[in-house]
Amino acid sequence: MSKTDDTKLIERCISGDRQAFEALLAEYEKPVYNAAYRMLNNRDDARDVTQTVFLKVFQNFGQYDPSRRFFSWIYRITLNESINWLGKANRLEPLAFEAADEGKGPEQEFESARVSATVQAALMTINTDYRTVVILKHFLGCSYVEIGEILELPEKTVKSRLYTARQHLKDELTDQGL
Amino acid sequence: MTIEQKFTDLINADIDGDISAADKDELQAFLGDNAEGRALHDELASLCDTLNGVEQEAPPPYMRHIIMNSVPPTQGKEESPGFLQILLATPALKYSVTFAAGVILTLSMLNSNQISHRTFDAVTGLVGTVAEPVETTFAHSISLSETDIAGTVSLRSAGSIIILDFDLVSADHIEVQADYTDKTIWFNGFAQLESEGTTVSAETGQVRLTMEEGKRRYAVYLQNKGARNTTINLRFLADGRVVHQAKLDYAPED
């Protein structure tokens, strides 16, 4: 969806049009859920964070800066909520990285599911600063400039983090036989 | 031998297609002479292909519904109308057909001594002939957010009729049991809106509904002739397993 389309939808949302909000939800539900899932490694938590994100978006349309792209705003909220969620989880109990092995159902028999789970396990071995840039680059398809906008980081820092993250992931996935 | 950071950066930039012509030439010259550099380039390119190729997870099918239900009504907009208002705000014939099917099914499954024909006529009349909106009073609602079932159930009343308004999304076949201990309350009718995936049966003190996968909107009418306080206990079952329990309270207005 183009920036213009998003802006029109947001204007309609601010004027109280629930259908416009549902259209935004339809557009961004999947990337937001996936970003949260890759950050948290838990589908139930990703669902809860996604709900929170959209509720916050709905309640804070007034704070949205229309000069910025909507996706950068909602992705930023998503990553912040996910990091907050991880913080809460860490206070309760250590993160179980082996949880990436969840769902040993039939779908795991498929190669794509195996790759997805292995990648997820590797993602959980790198810290959140690195994980966020990998998710934005490879799972949400953002450019360096867009990642910089979302994370409010210089492009040079984005590249540095991404390259370092890739090196870690490469080593981790090699160890796991992928 | 360690690869210089400069060339590691150029390798990453090349893989991302974010490299100038001059840098590309410099990288090619480096890779031509350096087997370790070529291996790193291949490994990182393979890694990026793997990351980019990971399939996106599908969000739970009911999540959108839950989110829409969780956002508050917006300024200047009226609260979402109840089932009965929707039913009556649109051409009656559309729904009377659905309603009639529900009633016929219901009649076929009920013990005849539980049915007040007079009140059935009244409800049928509401659906089929009333032109003016019927005033309903909101009493209570509950929300569900389970893996198998999500949405809301609200309890409204219109005179002596209690209306259970189900607005649900299910991931699978779900059975809903609505129990009421007050034996003076009768099952009085059933209607569903723009879907046919729900069936109903009733016995003394209980209405059972079975709904198929998907988004369903339907209503159950109960006759509370004595206008008594009552509680409706709801149980939602998937494959015979209780996935959610809730209760709805009704107290008539003074």
Side-chain angles (χ1 to χ4, degrees), chain A residues 50-92:
Chain A
T50 304
Q51 287 176 231
T52 304
V53 167
F54 279 99
L55 196 58
K56 286 201 167 183
V57 164
F58 185 86
Q59 290 168 338
N60 294 289
F61 273 124
Q63 294 175 21
Y64 169 64
D65 175 1
S67 68
R68 296 180 64 183
R69 282 169 287 204
F70 177 72
F71 73 77
S72 70
W73 187 54
I74 194 170
Y75 289 170
R76 182 175 172 79
I77 295 172
T78 304
L79 295 168
N80 284 339
E81 282 300 317
S82 299
I83 290 167
N84 289 343
W85 194 277
L86 285 171
K88 289 176 198 167
N90 276 329
R91 280 196 294 274
L92 295 172

XYZ file of all heavy atoms in Angstrom, chain A residues 50-92:
374
model
N 0.442 -8.163 19.048
C -0.229 -7.605 17.859
C -1.507 -6.880 18.258
O -1.781 -5.767 17.783
C -0.550 -8.730 16.848
O 0.661 -9.415 16.521
C -1.169 -8.166 15.582
N -2.269 -7.477 19.146
C -3.489 -6.813 19.617
C -3.151 -5.493 20.302
O -3.801 -4.476 20.073
C -4.244 -7.727 20.592
C -4.922 -8.893 19.906
C -5.573 -9.842 20.905
O -5.355 -11.043 20.864
N -6.359 -9.314 21.812
N -2.133 -5.528 21.145
C -1.736 -4.309 21.857
C -1.288 -3.225 20.879
O -1.640 -2.049 21.029
C -0.581 -4.627 22.842
O -1.011 -5.659 23.718
C -0.192 -3.404 23.643
N -0.525 -3.640 19.874
C -0.017 -2.678 18.893
C -1.182 -1.968 18.197
O -1.216 -0.737 18.115
C 0.881 -3.388 17.848
C 1.146 -2.483 16.650
C 2.188 -3.824 18.491
N -2.147 -2.738 17.732
C -3.243 -2.108 16.994
C -4.123 -1.251 17.911
O -4.654 -0.221 17.490
C -4.060 -3.157 16.232
C -3.401 -3.550 14.945
C -2.660 -4.711 14.859
C -3.486 -2.728 13.832
C -2.020 -5.059 13.674
C -2.847 -3.066 12.645
C -2.112 -4.234 12.565
N -4.260 -1.675 19.138
C -5.023 -0.851 20.083
C -4.288 0.470 20.315
O -4.905 1.537 20.348
C -5.214 -1.618 21.402
C -6.279 -1.079 22.341
C -7.642 -1.040 21.654
C -6.368 -1.921 23.599
N -2.966 0.402 20.464
C -2.181 1.633 20.661
C -2.257 2.533 19.432
O -2.365 3.748 19.550
C -0.723 1.289 20.979
C -0.542 0.752 22.382
C 0.873 0.891 22.871
C 0.909 0.637 24.378
N 2.235 0.809 24.958
N -2.185 1.910 18.277
C -2.299 2.689 17.038
C -3.647 3.412 17.023
O -3.733 4.614 16.749
C -2.152 1.771 15.804
C -2.638 2.456 14.538
C -0.690 1.341 15.643
N -4.684 2.673 17.339
C -6.036 3.245 17.315
C -6.162 4.404 18.302
O -6.779 5.421 18.006
C -7.046 2.146 17.657
C -8.477 2.580 17.547
C -9.142 2.526 16.322
C -9.170 3.042 18.649
C -10.460 2.917 16.214
C -10.495 3.441 18.546
C -11.136 3.383 17.323
N -5.548 4.222 19.471
C -5.683 5.248 20.521
C -4.766 6.445 20.296
O -4.953 7.485 20.915
C -5.367 4.621 21.886
C -6.421 3.635 22.351
C -5.963 2.815 23.540
O -4.769 2.672 23.786
N -6.917 2.263 24.274
N -3.765 6.275 19.427
C -2.751 7.330 19.292
C -2.603 7.867 17.874
O -1.540 8.363 17.514
C -1.389 6.809 19.791
C -1.407 6.522 21.277
O -1.455 7.427 22.090
N -1.412 5.249 21.625
N -3.674 7.759 17.101
C -3.596 8.323 15.749
C -3.232 9.801 15.801
O -2.568 10.317 14.899
C -4.932 8.153 15.025
C -5.055 6.835 14.313
C -6.121 5.986 14.581
C -4.112 6.443 13.368
C -6.238 4.775 13.928
C -4.225 5.227 12.711
C -5.284 4.393 12.991
N -3.652 10.458 16.863
C -3.367 11.887 16.991
C -1.875 12.187 17.084
O -1.448 13.305 16.785
N -1.105 11.194 17.513
C 0.345 11.410 17.649
C 1.110 11.020 16.388
O 2.321 11.193 16.326
C 0.885 10.602 18.834
C 0.356 11.094 20.168
C 0.812 10.197 21.318
O 1.790 9.469 21.192
N 0.084 10.242 22.417
N 0.397 10.453 15.419
C 1.086 10.025 14.201
C 1.505 11.244 13.377
O 0.712 12.158 13.158
C 0.155 9.111 13.382
C 0.667 8.828 11.996
C 1.848 8.123 11.814
C -0.021 9.285 10.874
C 2.327 7.873 10.532
C 0.446 9.039 9.603
C 1.624 8.333 9.437
O 2.103 8.099 8.174
N 2.757 11.231 12.951
C 3.295 12.324 12.138
C 3.115 11.950 10.666
O 3.814 11.067 10.153
C 4.785 12.503 12.474
C 5.455 13.537 11.591
O 4.772 14.134 10.741
O 6.681 13.732 11.752
N 2.191 12.606 9.963
C 1.904 12.200 8.572
C 3.058 12.425 7.610
O 3.020 11.935 6.481
C 0.686 13.057 8.195
C 0.621 14.130 9.210
C 1.338 13.693 10.433
N 4.088 13.148 8.056
C 5.236 13.325 7.161
C 6.088 12.049 7.117
O 6.948 11.878 6.262
C 6.098 14.508 7.627
O 6.723 14.209 8.858
N 5.842 11.159 8.083
C 6.570 9.884 8.107
C 5.683 8.784 7.541
O 4.460 8.921 7.509
C 6.987 9.526 9.535
C 7.975 10.520 10.131
C 8.360 10.126 11.526
N 9.064 8.849 11.555
C 9.470 8.253 12.677
N 9.219 8.801 13.837
N 10.108 7.103 12.633
N 6.306 7.722 7.138
C 5.518 6.621 6.591
C 4.853 5.838 7.720
O 5.475 5.621 8.770
C 6.402 5.712 5.738
C 6.671 6.317 4.361
C 7.738 5.579 3.628
N 9.056 5.859 4.198
C 10.197 5.743 3.532
N 10.177 5.361 2.279
N 11.344 6.002 4.105
N 3.617 5.442 7.451
C 2.849 4.765 8.507
C 3.543 3.492 8.964
O 3.584 3.181 10.154
C 1.439 4.449 7.998
C 0.612 3.690 9.009
C 0.133 4.307 10.148
C 0.336 2.341 8.822
C -0.611 3.608 11.092
C -0.402 1.630 9.756
C -0.876 2.271 10.890
N 4.110 2.737 7.995
C 4.692 1.454 8.399
C 5.855 1.647 9.366
O 6.091 0.826 10.242
C 5.091 0.603 7.185
C 6.319 1.070 6.447
C 7.590 0.827 6.941
C 6.204 1.736 5.242
C 8.718 1.248 6.259
C 7.325 2.163 4.553
C 8.587 1.928 5.068
N 6.592 2.761 9.190
C 7.729 2.962 10.098
C 7.219 3.211 11.521
O 7.848 2.796 12.496
C 8.626 4.100 9.621
O 7.996 5.341 9.762
N 6.064 3.856 11.609
C 5.465 4.121 12.930
C 4.973 2.822 13.567
O 5.278 2.506 14.707
C 4.322 5.129 12.765
C 3.721 5.630 14.035
C 4.372 6.211 15.088
C 2.335 5.613 14.394
N 3.467 6.558 16.071
C 2.222 6.205 15.668
C 1.175 5.161 13.759
C 0.993 6.356 16.322
C -0.048 5.324 14.409
C -0.125 5.904 15.672
N 4.218 2.050 12.805
C 3.620 0.838 13.392
C 4.693 -0.226 13.654
O 4.619 -0.944 14.660
C 2.456 0.300 12.520
C 1.652 -0.732 13.328
C 2.936 -0.288 11.211
C 0.359 -1.136 12.669
N 5.716 -0.302 12.803
C 6.777 -1.274 13.058
C 7.584 -0.875 14.301
O 8.020 -1.734 15.069
C 7.715 -1.392 11.852
C 7.106 -2.071 10.642
C 7.749 -2.075 9.412
C 5.874 -2.713 10.724
C 7.194 -2.687 8.306
C 5.315 -3.320 9.619
C 5.977 -3.308 8.409
O 5.418 -3.914 7.314
N 7.758 0.414 14.470
C 8.491 0.873 15.656
C 7.712 0.502 16.925
O 8.277 0.015 17.902
C 8.712 2.389 15.581
C 9.503 2.947 16.733
C 9.798 4.445 16.519
N 10.399 5.009 17.704
C 11.686 4.862 18.035
N 12.476 4.151 17.265
N 12.158 5.408 19.127
N 6.403 0.742 16.897
C 5.556 0.371 18.044
C 5.654 -1.137 18.283
O 5.776 -1.595 19.425
C 4.085 0.791 17.795
C 3.975 2.312 17.724
C 3.164 0.237 18.885
C 2.599 2.810 17.291
N 5.621 -1.893 17.204
C 5.674 -3.358 17.322
C 6.971 -3.819 17.990
O 6.949 -4.652 18.913
C 5.582 -4.004 15.920
O 4.390 -3.550 15.288
C 5.568 -5.516 16.013
N 8.081 -3.283 17.520
C 9.375 -3.709 18.075
C 9.511 -3.269 19.527
O 9.994 -4.033 20.381
C 10.517 -3.169 17.213
C 10.539 -3.750 15.788
C 11.499 -2.985 14.896
C 10.904 -5.229 15.806
N 9.048 -2.059 19.822
C 9.115 -1.594 21.219
C 8.234 -2.447 22.135
O 8.644 -2.811 23.241
C 8.692 -0.123 21.317
C 9.774 0.817 20.820
O 10.941 0.440 20.773
N 9.392 2.016 20.431
N 7.035 -2.748 21.662
C 6.147 -3.596 22.470
C 6.760 -4.984 22.680
O 6.655 -5.566 23.760
C 4.779 -3.729 21.790
C 3.864 -2.541 21.955
C 3.552 -2.243 23.412
O 3.292 -3.185 24.184
O 3.596 -1.057 23.783
N 7.372 -5.500 21.638
C 7.989 -6.833 21.744
C 9.140 -6.816 22.742
O 9.287 -7.741 23.555
C 8.497 -7.288 20.372
O 7.439 -7.368 19.451
N 9.939 -5.765 22.670
C 11.073 -5.663 23.603
C 10.556 -5.508 25.034
O 11.080 -6.125 25.971
C 12.003 -4.502 23.188
C 12.729 -4.883 21.894
C 13.005 -4.175 24.287
C 13.441 -3.732 21.203
N 9.500 -4.708 25.192
C 8.891 -4.581 26.533
C 8.397 -5.941 27.028
O 8.532 -6.285 28.193
C 7.712 -3.601 26.495
C 8.166 -2.173 26.309
O 9.331 -1.861 26.519
N 7.248 -1.301 25.908
N 7.795 -6.675 26.111
C 7.251 -7.996 26.458
C 8.377 -8.936 26.907
O 8.255 -9.671 27.875
C 6.514 -8.569 25.249
C 5.648 -9.752 25.564
C 6.047 -11.047 25.669
C 4.244 -9.747 25.823
N 4.976 -11.851 25.959
C 3.861 -11.084 26.063
C 3.268 -8.757 25.860
C 2.542 -11.445 26.346
C 1.960 -9.118 26.133
C 1.617 -10.431 26.379
N 9.488 -8.876 26.154
C 10.640 -9.705 26.524
C 11.154 -9.319 27.908
O 11.559 -10.182 28.693
C 11.766 -9.527 25.498
C 11.572 -10.229 24.150
C 12.650 -9.794 23.169
C 11.615 -11.749 24.327
N 11.139 -8.007 28.182
C 11.583 -7.540 29.495
C 10.735 -8.116 30.608
O 11.250 -8.585 31.631
N 9.409 -8.123 30.363
C 8.498 -8.702 31.372
C 8.776 -10.187 31.532
O 8.820 -10.718 32.632
C 7.046 -8.498 30.949
C 6.553 -7.083 31.034
C 5.132 -7.026 30.495
C 4.750 -5.603 30.157
N 3.516 -5.530 29.360
N 8.956 -10.865 30.406
C 9.204 -12.319 30.447
C 10.498 -12.618 31.191
O 10.588 -13.568 31.963
C 9.266 -12.877 29.023
N 11.511 -11.756 30.952
C 12.798 -11.976 31.603
C 12.723 -11.809 33.111
O 13.468 -12.433 33.844
C 13.837 -11.001 31.037
C 14.448 -11.546 29.759
O 14.570 -12.749 29.606
N 14.808 -10.670 28.842
N 11.798 -10.917 33.555
C 11.677 -10.741 34.991
C 11.042 -11.959 35.640
O 11.275 -12.249 36.792
C 10.837 -9.488 35.308
C 11.634 -8.203 35.185
C 10.910 -7.080 35.871
N 9.665 -6.752 35.219
C 9.556 -5.923 34.194
N 10.619 -5.349 33.695
N 8.387 -5.656 33.660
N 10.223 -12.640 34.870
C 9.520 -13.797 35.430
C 10.362 -15.064 35.362
O 10.468 -15.808 36.299
C 8.204 -14.018 34.672
C 7.184 -12.898 34.838
C 6.015 -13.113 33.894
C 6.695 -12.831 36.279
